[in-house]
Amino acid sequence: MRDPLGKKVIGIKPSGIRKFFDIVQETEGAISLGVGEPDFDTPWHIRDEGIYSLEKGRTFYTSNSGLKELRQEVSNYINRTQGVTYDPLKEIFITVGGSEAIDLAFRAMVDEGDEVLIPQPSYVSYEPCAILADAVPVIIELKEENDFRLTAEEVLEKVTDKTKILVLPFPNNPTGAVMEKKDLEEIAKVVIEKDLYVISDEIYSELTYNGKHVSIVSLPGMRERTILINGFSKAYAMTGWRLGYACGPANIMAQMVKIHQFAIMCAPTTSQYAAVEALRNGDEDVSKMREEYNHRRRYLLNEFKKFGLPCFEPFGAFYVFPCIKKFGMSSDEFCTRLLEEEKLAVVPGSAFGDCGEGYIRISYAYSLQNLKIAMERFEKFISKLEH
Ligand SMILES: Cc1ncc(COP(=O)(O)O)c(C=O)c1O
């Protein structure tokens, strides 16, 4: 029998995050700070809209691009947060999470051999999705000395004649780094000069702790060069509803919708009705969750300071990314031992790219009570290593 599998797929490594979850499930008494998923329930009024839509028998496909009223709400949201207007009919469509939008953006925009600049450490799907689209991923290493921000020089260093896309992964998973307006302005200059496009993954845009998120689409000349990706998973605690969206120039959106139409048909209908409510009346819930995350963020930073563990102060998302280089072991070994010896699961920085080696990602999408137990275990583990 011949090999049923394609070489391209075989060559892609499975996500380094999952491996630890599987072990956690098999280890009794283990606690995890590994998952990048809000611990809050979806706010009740949002769930209620989903239920109501079912009661009303709204159980059919929506249009491929998604409910018109939802696209209108997305348009209103971007307008009120970024001051940028998108046509809800031609420039916005609804996807199955930000994940699908990332995949479609690559597939719609690259030809074989086009280079895609991917800053790392960053979310695990960019590189595989770029490869599956036959692009060549070119990694830019984000550095702690730059607060894990992307600099224009770093982009320029990696641009070639073949570079087509820059992925902009901020607020960042796993570092929690954010880009400020002045940082984005420098990047925008390079993007325009080198005639690049940007895939801006803004899934954590609502979770910033030091001022409001600024999107690159709000800068002159960038709206026409950017695919803005966002969704409902993180801001509204709606991971399981599987809903996101993409905004961008109509010609690119049309091709992304074409693939979406053949592969997916439409995003889940119930979730779309619930999301209309989230965008119309969810600001207060987001603000409460943000406050709670911020509280936990400060708690963890304070703990690491107490432990004498160097930790960059993250101003976005719900992760901290302390440096564990001083223990002289790989981040994978550190995490494996922490799980085996203290039954605490965190994620090795190397799961987010080679340059994440020497760091670990700790999610604070867990209750303070859980975080406190986790920090006791963590302290016990590192004091053993130190003695
Ligand atoms: C940076 C980033 N982008 C995108 C996603 C995908 O989110 P979803 O598909 O649930 O919208 C995640 C999920 O963890 C993420 O961390």
Side-chain angles (χ1 to χ4, degrees):
M1 239 162 65
R2 54 185 174 154
D3 189 345
L5 300 167
K7 290 185 185 59
K8 197 165 61 178
V9 178
I10 293 280
I12 292 173
K13 275 192 298 187
S15 161
I17 306 183
R18 284 283 143 199
K19 177 181 133 185
F20 280 85
F21 296 159
D22 296 343
I23 308 175
V24 171
Q25 269 158 11
E26 288 154 18
T27 313
E28 217 185 296
I31 52 173
S32 167
L33 301 184
V35 188
E37 162 164 72
D39 58 316
F40 300 105
D41 293 330
T42 305
W44 181 245
H45 63 105
I46 298 174
R47 280 188 274 164
D48 220 13
E49 276 305 309
I51 294 165
Y52 183 69
S53 78
L54 290 173
E55 280 175 357
K56 282 278 167 191
R58 293 171 184 153
T59 54
F60 301 92
Y61 297 131
T62 67
S63 82
N64 296 132
S65 299
L67 285 177
K68 220 153 69 176
E69 56 263 57
L70 178 55
R71 285 181 278 152
Q72 182 63 57
E73 286 305 327
V74 170
S75 176
N76 297 349
Y77 169 77
I78 296 166
N79 194 270
R80 73 174 184 265
T81 52
Q82 302 298 333
V84 177
T85 309
Y86 284 99
D87 177 348
L89 296 182
K90 295 194 181 120
E91 296 180 312
I92 296 174
F93 79 103
I94 309 302
T95 57
V96 180
S99 303
E100 189 208 349
I102 294 166
D103 182 37
L104 293 184
F106 286 124
R107 289 209 269 161
M109 292 172 79
V110 298
D111 284 316
E112 192 175 345
D114 283 343
E115 291 178 5
V116 172
L117 300 178
I118 304 178
Q120 285 184 346
S122 62
Y123 184 52
V124 292
S125 86
Y126 309 130
E127 200 177 336
C129 286
I131 294 170
L132 288 171
D134 288 328
V136 177
V138 175
I139 306 305
I140 300 177
E141 294 190 5
L142 298 170
K143 297 187 188 73
E144 186 168 14
E145 71 239 37
N146 298 329
D147 291 345
F148 291 113
R149 289 169 198 211
L150 178 66
T151 68
E153 293 73 36
E154 289 168 337
V155 178
L156 269 175
E157 257 171 41
K158 295 287 170 100
V159 172
T160 71
D161 295 347
K162 294 194 174 136
T163 313
K164 184 159 190 191
I165 291 174
L166 167 67
V167 175
L168 208 54
F170 298 97
N172 183 277
N173 170 10
T175 64
V178 296
M179 294 279 278
E180 285 175 14
K181 189 170 177 197
K182 61 176 177 6
D183 308 313
L184 292 172
E185 281 166 350
E186 295 305 309
I187 301 290
K189 272 189 222 157
V190 177
V191 167
I192 292 168
E193 187 195 315
K194 298 292 178 186
D195 195 14
L196 308 179
Y197 288 88
V198 171
I199 296 179
S200 186
D201 179 357
E202 305 183 18
I203 199 93
Y204 294 100
S205 64
E206 283 297 326
L207 302 179
T208 59
Y209 311 103
N210 190 26
K212 290 217 176 292
H213 169 73
V214 181
S215 171
I216 197 158
V217 299
S218 66
L219 303 184
M222 288 311 298
R223 184 191 179 287
E224 51 269 45
R225 292 185 172 273
T226 304
I227 313 303
L228 187 167
I229 291 171
N230 206 333
F232 298 86
S233 290
K234 315 292 176 175
Y236 301 97
M238 291 178 72
T239 46
W241 298 75
R242 306 309 306 126
L243 210 65
Y245 55 87
C247 310
N251 58 336
I252 306 176
M253 292 299 106
Q255 298 309 315
M256 286 172 69
V257 172
K258 191 166 73 184
I259 310 171
H260 169 79
Q261 171 188 343
F262 292 132
I264 302 283
M265 187 74 93
C266 70
T269 302
T270 314
S271 308
Q272 294 192 52
Y273 281 104
V276 170
E277 170 66 14
L279 285 173
R280 278 188 189 152
N281 297 311
D283 286 1
E284 212 177 294
D285 306 291
V286 176
S287 154
K288 277 193 202 139
M289 290 189 266
R290 187 192 300 119
E291 230 171 86
E292 178 59 28
Y293 288 133
N294 196 16
H295 189 54
R296 300 170 186 181
R297 181 184 74 96
R298 284 165 192 269
Y299 165 74
L300 285 180
L301 288 173
N302 208 31
E303 287 296 284
F304 293 136
K305 209 160 144 194
K306 252 174 35 197
F307 304 158
L309 198 67
C311 185
F312 149 79
E313 180 168 0
F315 287 114
F318 38 52
Y319 309 103
V320 286
F321 202 59
C323 178
I324 49 106
K325 288 179 187 166
K326 70 173 183 177
F327 300 111
M329 59 177 102
S330 72
S331 53
D332 198 86
E333 191 188 346
F334 185 95
C335 294
T336 306
R337 282 188 56 186
L338 180 61
L339 182 53
E340 281 171 4
E341 294 172 31
E342 296 302 331
K343 297 190 177 181
L344 173 61
V346 300
V347 184
S350 52
F352 306 94
D354 291 342
C355 56
E357 184 50 78
Y359 297 86
I360 56 171
R361 187 193 79 171
I362 293 179
S363 162
Y364 50 87
Y366 292 89
S367 71
L368 202 55
Q369 193 188 0
N370 247 320
L371 292 178
K372 284 184 175 161
I373 302 170
M375 284 305 103
E376 279 167 21
R377 296 185 185 189
F378 193 82
E379 187 176 16
K380 204 162 139 212
F381 179 66
I382 61 169
S383 51
K384 256 190 320 195
L385 296 180
E386 275 161 352
H387 293 114

